[in-house]
Amino acid sequence: MGDFSWPFFYTYPPYFTLQPVKETRQKQSALWIELILKYCRHHKVYQLTTDPSDDSPLFSNQSINRRLTQEGRSTFLTELVARGNGLWLDNNQRTCLVLWHTAEQWADIVYEWARSLGLEGSVTTVDELSTGDEVQGTELAGMPRAVLMEALKVLERRGKARIFKGAAADDDGVKFFK
Amino acid sequence: MRRRPGLQGLQRGVETREHFRNLGDTVKETKLAHLQAQVASFKENLEKFALSHRDEIRKDPVFRAQFHTMCANTGVDPLASNKGMWVQLLGFGDFYYELGVQIVEACLATRGVNGGLMDLDALSLFVRRRRGSRAEEISTDDLLRAISKLKTLGGGWSVTKIGSRRLVRSVPGELSTDSNAVLSLAQDKGFTSEQIMQQALNWEAVRIHHTVEALLRDGLALIDDQDPSGACGTWHWVSS
């Protein structure tokens, strides 16, 4: 995986305070979103929370004694969702699914994977798409169900796949089409 | 006994004046011719000099700066025209235009971070990295020269001195003396607070507030409300 390289602003104290001037805030927001996506992708983090007691190094830098407040986290995650790179998992908007690939992009990746194995026309379980032997070593490995379902819904809308409800959630299946 | 002015006296006066004027004209003409010859020979010598030291002027930033000083002292601007002999002789124009473009690039690329106010040393570093190791060496003098040419384009290019640092401004706008005072106060630590400002500058709260607001608006300052020492309203000056 290699070491994650933090951007310069991560060691710059004022970036942990929401800036009052609109233009400055937009720049700040853009830099944070870039960092969030890069960090999550690097460390395979799929979920973030606005809870300020969460000590993830992403939102708090011990070395300069600065951390994002709940308001700060909430602001940037909201922006993330607005850009299609995030999805709130609850109505209170506390937990956020991070999509470093948008749902559309994930859909492409899943479909491309299925096509490369010649799975068009056949049925596979949803779980297999993230835990099966065939996905080991690909980006799909370890993908949380929530992200996977978002991608499959996109494929369903495109008419490229169909989701089957199983008796239990584990039994959900998916059929890919040409 | 005083002689009264007679007709002859008047005529003689006119003649004398005429003589003097003629003489004056001749002197002027010789002087002009002499000067023209001097200028011509000066230009010729300068050209000769430039040509024989062409490589040094191009490669050595120190020598280049000296050459520019010499030209400035004699009222010659080697960059004044794109078609002049200097450009043909030295390829100067391209050199500074290229540098100008690189400066603009550097300032634009870092504008998000520094609000359009870039430290001259940082700019120099940025431009050098961009040019790579194979390009001609450049000096601060070259940068300043290129920036002074950029001014022609408008867009508020200027170099401001704050404390011991020189800052290149790439966005329109003037720094007020108040803003300058606050920025130079912040330059050592990189930040200042309303408390520090009040102690150092002895300003009223309203004045401090106004100045800070202006700096924030211009993107030259950022707020940091998590100062561990607990002083509220600490704010930072951005520099790259």
Side-chain angles (χ1 to χ4, degrees):
Chain A
M1 255 216 250
D3 280 333
F4 185 73
S5 66
W6 295 97
F8 78 95
F9 80 83
Y10 183 71
T11 51
Y12 202 53
Y15 271 88
F16 288 81
T17 299
L18 279 176
Q19 294 302 314
V21 177
K22 194 177 151 214
E23 282 169 19
T24 319
R25 168 85 70 97
Q26 281 167 350
K27 286 174 204 156
Q28 185 190 20
S29 188
L31 284 170
W32 269 105
I33 283 167
E34 196 186 321
L35 171 63
I36 290 170
L37 292 175
K38 208 174 124 203
Y39 178 90
C40 289
R41 185 171 185 180
H42 187 92
H43 292 288
K44 300 260 178 241
V45 176
Y46 287 92
Q47 249 183 52
L48 291 174
T49 157
T50 60
D51 184 357
S53 65
D54 168 23
D55 266 332
S56 154
L58 174 59
F59 289 145
S60 70
N61 186 350
Q62 305 281 355
S63 66
I64 56 165
N65 215 346
R66 296 289 189 282
R67 53 196 295 127
L68 275 185
T69 58
Q70 175 164 8
E71 194 196 354
R73 294 169 198 224
S74 185
T75 305
F76 297 140
L77 289 182
T78 306
E79 178 72 24
L80 196 72
V81 171
R83 286 178 32 165
N85 286 109
L87 210 63
W88 291 114
L89 290 175
D90 52 353
N91 290 333
N92 301 328
Q93 308 201 332
R94 293 232 173 85
T95 318
C96 179
L97 199 61
V98 183
L99 303 165
W100 57 83
H101 294 310
T102 60
E104 305 276 327
Q105 286 164 340
W106 275 122
D108 290 341
I109 294 169
V110 170
Y111 190 75
E112 199 45 47
W113 170 85
R115 217 175 53 89
S116 72
L117 289 179
L119 288 179
E120 296 111 318
S122 56
V123 178
T124 169
T125 67
V126 173
D127 280 350
E128 255 179 289
L129 293 176
S130 62
T131 59
D133 291 342
E134 302 291 352
V135 295
Q136 295 312 314
T138 72
E139 250 191 309
L140 299 177
M143 206 171 158
R145 204 181 169 80
V147 180
L148 202 50
M149 289 312 281
E150 286 305 316
L152 291 178
K153 274 186 226 159
V154 171
L155 285 180
E156 207 169 33
R157 274 201 298 276
R158 289 186 196 163
K160 292 285 186 189
R162 174 126 184 246
I163 303 165
F164 299 98
K165 280 276 166 223
D170 305 2
D171 294 339
D172 285 351
V174 59
K175 183 172 183 179
F176 292 104
F177 303 112
K178 265 214 164 126
Chain B
M1 192 185 88
R2 245 182 117 228
R3 276 182 60 179
R4 286 190 299 167
L7 193 61
Q8 232 177 7
L10 279 176
Q11 271 171 349
R12 210 181 295 131
V14 170
E15 267 168 40
T16 324
R17 270 201 297 277
E18 189 76 13
H19 272 303
F20 271 122
R21 212 180 53 227
N22 284 345
L23 196 65
D25 283 350
T26 334
V27 170
K28 242 193 257 168
E29 260 164 43
T30 14
K31 246 191 187 167
L32 193 68
H34 188 60
L35 265 178
Q36 271 169 343
Q38 256 187 344
V39 167
S41 91
F42 171 73
K43 201 179 152 197
E44 196 182 312
N45 279 328
L46 199 58
E47 253 177 84
K48 237 185 254 168
F49 176 84
L51 207 59
S52 61
H53 293 280
R54 190 181 144 140
D55 284 347
E56 277 134 299
I57 292 172
R58 270 185 165 173
K59 297 239 169 62
D60 184 358
V62 182
F63 195 85
R64 188 159 56 232
Q66 280 165 354
F67 178 71
H68 275 300
T69 321
M70 190 181 80
C71 287
N73 283 339
T74 50
V76 176
D77 183 359
L79 291 177
S81 153
N82 193 17
K83 295 201 185 86
M85 60 165 213
W86 299 107
V87 178
Q88 284 160 12
L89 229 50
L90 299 172
F92 252 1
D94 288 346
F95 174 79
Y96 283 104
Y97 300 143
E98 197 183 286
L99 196 56
V101 171
Q102 286 156 355
I103 290 170
V104 174
E105 271 178 3
C107 288
L108 282 182
T110 56
R111 200 174 271 181
V113 192
N114 56 31
L117 205 57
M118 191 171 189
D119 189 281
L120 191 62
D121 292 335
L123 175 67
S124 167
L125 208 70
F126 197 104
V127 170
R128 262 192 213 132
R129 212 177 302 145
R130 162 80 172 67
R131 290 168 66 86
S133 53
R134 284 171 59 206
E136 295 109 329
E137 262 299 296
I138 50 159
S139 66
T140 324
D141 181 77
D142 291 326
L143 287 176
L144 292 175
R145 218 166 279 286
I147 291 165
S148 80
K149 295 296 149 193
L150 288 175
K151 281 180 195 159
T152 326
L153 301 175
W157 287 88
S158 66
V159 181
T160 320
K161 216 170 154 144
I162 290 173
S164 57
R165 313 172 55 172
R166 272 181 295 185
L167 297 164
V168 179
R169 192 181 179 97
S170 59
V171 288
E174 291 277 313
L175 283 178
S176 70
T177 31
D178 280 6
S179 302
N180 263 330
V182 170
L183 287 182
S184 52
L185 189 63
Q187 74 155 330
D188 286 338
K189 284 192 248 171
F191 67 89
T192 184
S193 71
E194 305 204 353
Q195 215 178 352
I196 300 175
M197 282 183 263
Q198 203 183 350
Q199 277 163 9
L201 303 167
N202 203 15
W203 288 353
E204 282 184 35
V206 183
R207 188 167 171 193
I208 294 175
H209 187 74
H210 270 297
T211 315
V212 172
E213 284 283 299
L215 287 170
L216 284 172
R217 224 175 15 247
D218 288 347
L220 294 173
L222 296 174
I223 283 188
D224 172 25
D225 59 12
Q226 296 179 47
D227 180 14
S229 68
C232 193
T234 308
W235 61 278
H236 284 242
W237 171 36
V238 202
S239 81
S240 52

